[in-house]
Amino acid sequence: MRPQADTPDPAVLGALLTRHGWRRRGGATGRYGRWTPPDAAGTSLLVPESAAFPDSADLLAEALTALERSAAPSARHVLIALRTPSDEIHWHRRIPEPGPPAAVWAAQERLRSGARALLLTGALAARATAGYHGARHRRPAEAALAGLLVGPQPGARDLTVFAPVGPDDPYGRPAVGALLRALHAARDATDHERATGRPEAFAAAVEAGVCRELTEALVALVGGSEGIRVHVEWAPAAGPPPGFGARPEPVEFSPGDLPVLREAGARYLRDEPPLPVRLTGTVVHLWRDAPGGSGTVQLKVVDGADVTEVRAEVDEDDYRIACHAHLMGLPVRIGGRLESRGGFRRLTGAGGVLPVRVDESERERLLKSLDVFGDRDDHG
């Protein structure tokens, strides 16, 4: 008998089998059901109605063994969701069946890269809303994607991603909810602009998580296809999160939406304002065209901005202070405006460079992490 800790909840197993196309074909009413795979081929499963019956643990253990041995892709999906309770995000991209292996690979890569870009927007929106994120929050958002599980898929049209629902999982329900909310808001804004010719709905949709990055991901997925559908299903063991229905409606986009999505993305890039900041960073590169005068400083951001690195043009005095701080292994404080057109990687109107005192151990650590002086040919 399988240990009790490994025994799934029969109700959860039944919900997952239904979700992934398995059909109940009878069984003793109130005791167990017989389930067959989606294509009606392969071994059927006997699943108890509850864990209260004496033989329920044995039946569940046998059902899990049969799922492990099943060749049906849906069996892998069910096992993943059982072992790691997860919300499921499904993509379907309507394309003709690719022919040669190279075409299949290219179609799979397009689906996976577009899905990844869309997932990234959920992680970004869970941290902050903006018409254009650029480099802001990108590193922690990309790191959160490492906790997602990709389901096995037989072709280039469908993809399933599992987002574990544990409290410490890096992507988590806030990101899944943010993505779902943003997709529905993008659908509504697209319908509004296509019907009226007016773009104001996209401006309002920013608060729901819509951004340039999301429109770009949708354009990449829809382009070259007859349309896409994205569907979220909540982990049966956890139920829907607050504010969401038990069965969210799928969201679809078609080639007719592409002009509106492209124009909305261009507006988001154009309209996102620069951000005044006063940040602290370590100097990693310096360069200028002549021994004297102004120069460029590249900083690894420690505090004050949600980006990892910025470049700034500074005058001769600030450049000299940055050089001394670099040689001494000290961070500097600098003010200016983060410009959206550089992806929030460039600081304009920069000035007021001041070294920041740190203790000796921190100074030693910074010195070991710093790069040597760069030049324009290598870093310009």
Side-chain angles (χ1 to χ4, degrees):
M1 182 184 295
R2 188 177 293 264
Q4 187 67 29
D6 291 341
T7 303
D9 182 340
V12 171
L13 177 54
L16 290 170
L17 290 170
T18 300
R19 172 178 298 177
H20 292 286
W22 290 64
R23 296 189 177 185
R24 181 170 175 167
R25 300 289 189 181
T29 303
R31 292 186 64 85
Y32 63 84
R34 183 173 293 278
W35 296 78
T36 58
D39 56 7
T43 305
S44 62
L45 310 177
L46 280 179
V47 178
E49 295 285 336
S50 95
F53 300 110
D55 61 348
S56 61
D58 290 330
L59 288 176
L60 286 167
E62 291 170 4
L64 292 182
T65 299
L67 282 171
E68 290 165 356
R69 294 174 178 173
S70 175
S74 59
R76 307 278 82 76
H77 287 134
V78 172
L79 286 170
I80 291 172
L82 274 177
R83 289 166 178 162
T84 308
S86 307
D87 295 326
E88 300 178 26
I89 309 167
H90 303 273
W91 284 263
H92 176 69
R93 190 165 180 260
R94 293 190 292 276
I95 58 171
E97 189 62 40
V104 174
W105 181 86
Q108 288 175 334
E109 282 301 300
R110 183 158 188 171
L111 175 58
R112 285 173 177 260
S113 64
R116 186 184 189 281
L118 207 56
L119 288 165
L120 182 63
T121 67
L124 289 169
R127 287 164 171 79
T129 56
Y132 174 49
H133 293 275
R136 293 178 293 172
H137 301 290
R138 183 165 291 269
R139 180 169 290 181
E142 288 180 337
L145 300 186
L148 299 173
L149 305 172
V150 180
Q153 298 296 146
R157 293 184 177 127
D158 295 285
L159 179 68
T160 297
V161 168
F162 297 85
V165 297
D168 299 324
D169 286 301
Y171 198 82
R173 287 200 141 178
V176 177
L179 174 60
L180 181 60
R181 192 179 297 111
L183 284 169
H184 280 286
R187 179 68 269 168
D188 291 344
T190 301
D191 289 340
H192 181 272
E193 184 163 342
R194 291 188 67 177
T196 66
R198 299 195 304 271
E200 63 269 12
F202 274 101
V206 170
E207 288 302 313
V210 183
C211 58
R212 174 180 171 83
E213 287 82 358
L214 185 135
T215 62
E216 287 180 322
L218 291 173
V219 167
L221 283 166
V222 175
S225 76
E226 297 173 3
I228 65 161
R229 181 177 70 248
V230 185
H231 185 200
V232 172
E233 294 181 292
W234 308 117
F244 292 92
R247 295 178 177 83
E249 288 293 321
V251 189
E252 298 193 14
F253 293 87
S254 70
D257 299 322
L258 289 174
V260 170
L261 291 169
R262 289 192 180 104
E263 180 56 32
R267 283 195 304 271
Y268 284 142
L269 176 61
R270 184 174 62 246
D271 297 344
E272 188 68 15
L275 299 174
V277 294
R278 182 74 176 168
L279 58 83
T280 303
T282 54
V283 180
V284 292
H285 293 299
L286 303 110
W287 63 94
R288 57 183 174 182
D289 293 328
S294 62
T296 300
V297 178
Q298 184 170 334
L299 301 170
K300 181 178 180 181
V301 177
V302 175
D303 188 36
D306 298 315
V307 295
T308 55
E309 288 192 353
V310 297
R311 291 183 180 183
E313 299 281 344
V314 295
D315 63 24
E316 184 172 6
D317 289 340
D318 283 331
Y319 188 86
R320 185 173 61 252
I321 294 170
C323 287
H324 288 307
H326 179 78
L327 291 171
M328 296 174 65
L330 294 176
V332 297
R333 191 167 289 120
I334 184 173
R337 295 186 305 278
L338 278 177
E339 290 289 341
S340 61
R341 288 192 178 275
F344 296 99
R345 296 179 180 90
R346 183 174 296 276
L347 199 64
T348 61
V353 176
L354 292 172
V356 178
R357 293 290 179 186
V358 294
D359 61 43
E360 191 62 25
S361 61
E362 178 66 8
R363 179 176 174 275
E364 287 298 319
R365 188 190 68 79
L366 291 171
L367 278 170
K368 290 178 181 178
S369 70
L370 293 178
D371 294 331
V372 298
F373 284 75
D375 55 40
R376 184 171 297 277
D377 290 338
D378 291 338
H379 308 289

